[in-house]
Amino acid sequence: PPPPPPPPAALPKMTGGESASELRDKASEARRAGEREARDITSGAAEEARRVRSEENAKADEILRKAREPLDASKRRVTSASNALKAAEGRVSTLEAKVASTEKEEKDTPFYRFQKKGELKDELKGLRKELASAQPAAKSAAKEADAASSEREKAQAAMDKASAQATKVRGAGSDKASKIEAE
């Protein structure tokens, strides 16, 4: 028959008089303390990452706000100038139409109706004077509209540049936050 198995190894003797269950409890408590400390560190890093993201987003929002104000002002100026131009062009067009119809009426009036012809000539004189003053106003309104449009284009370019800069700031903030969370 085969030889009998060897006896089980002797359990180590405990020093300090602590039992196995007491040592398990201490180990378990130490593990819980380590987990709490790790959670606190992770929580602190997450909070710091949120703060960094928030600060960078605030910077980006400020960059956009500063660029948006002149853009909005230039858009209002374009609208105002366009309205003024339309009004001035409408006035010139109306006066030109009145001049043309009055000239036709004067031409079609028989010569023996000299009183009517005189009235029409006086009316034409007044209309031409009005037209002469309205045309420079229309040209001035057109120049203002062009200047406002140019200003709006420049403000839009500045807004596009600010938008790109804000995107970079947000990206940098996100990168910083990710590094903090990774540590």
Side-chain angles (χ1 to χ4, degrees):
L11 292 176
K13 296 273 184 183
M14 304 269 177
T15 55
E18 296 178 345
S19 71
S21 68
E22 289 173 333
L23 290 174
R24 261 193 308 278
D25 289 345
K26 282 185 177 181
S28 186
E29 180 57 36
R31 188 180 71 249
R32 283 193 296 272
E35 288 172 352
R36 275 193 303 273
E37 187 176 339
R39 222 178 6 259
D40 290 347
I41 290 170
T42 304
S43 172
E47 183 60 35
E48 177 68 11
R50 276 192 294 278
R51 186 190 61 74
V52 166
R53 278 191 185 101
S54 176
E55 287 175 1
E56 295 303 311
N57 283 337
K59 286 178 189 177
D61 290 344
E62 182 63 18
I63 289 169
L64 291 174
R65 186 191 61 76
K66 285 181 180 179
R68 192 173 292 118
E69 288 173 357
L71 179 61
D72 291 345
S74 68
K75 284 180 180 179
R76 286 189 299 274
R77 184 174 172 214
V78 165
T79 301
S80 174
S82 294
N83 290 342
L85 177 60
K86 286 177 187 174
E89 287 175 340
R91 179 151 172 69
V92 166
S93 178
T94 300
L95 287 171
E96 286 173 342
K98 282 184 182 180
V99 165
S101 71
T102 306
E103 283 175 341
K104 182 178 180 346
E105 186 180 349
E106 191 241 347
K107 181 182 174 190
D108 292 345
T109 301
F111 72 93
Y112 55 83
R113 295 199 56 206
F114 55 87
Q115 184 177 357
K116 173 82 170 169
K117 273 194 169 274
E119 289 171 0
L120 290 172
K121 282 185 182 185
D122 289 344
E123 186 180 341
L124 269 173
K125 193 179 204 180
L127 286 172
R128 287 185 178 133
K129 193 180 268 189
E130 257 188 274
L131 181 60
S133 69
Q135 287 173 330
K139 286 181 183 177
S140 175
K143 284 181 182 177
E144 176 63 23
D146 287 343
S149 180
S150 175
E151 178 185 320
R152 189 197 61 75
E153 288 171 4
K154 288 177 184 175
Q156 183 63 52
M159 180 64 184
D160 293 344
K161 186 177 178 181
S163 181
Q165 185 180 5
T167 300
K168 286 180 184 177
V169 168
R170 281 194 172 99
S174 183
D175 290 347
K176 285 179 190 176
S178 295
K179 286 178 182 176
I180 289 170
E181 288 173 334
E183 291 175 4

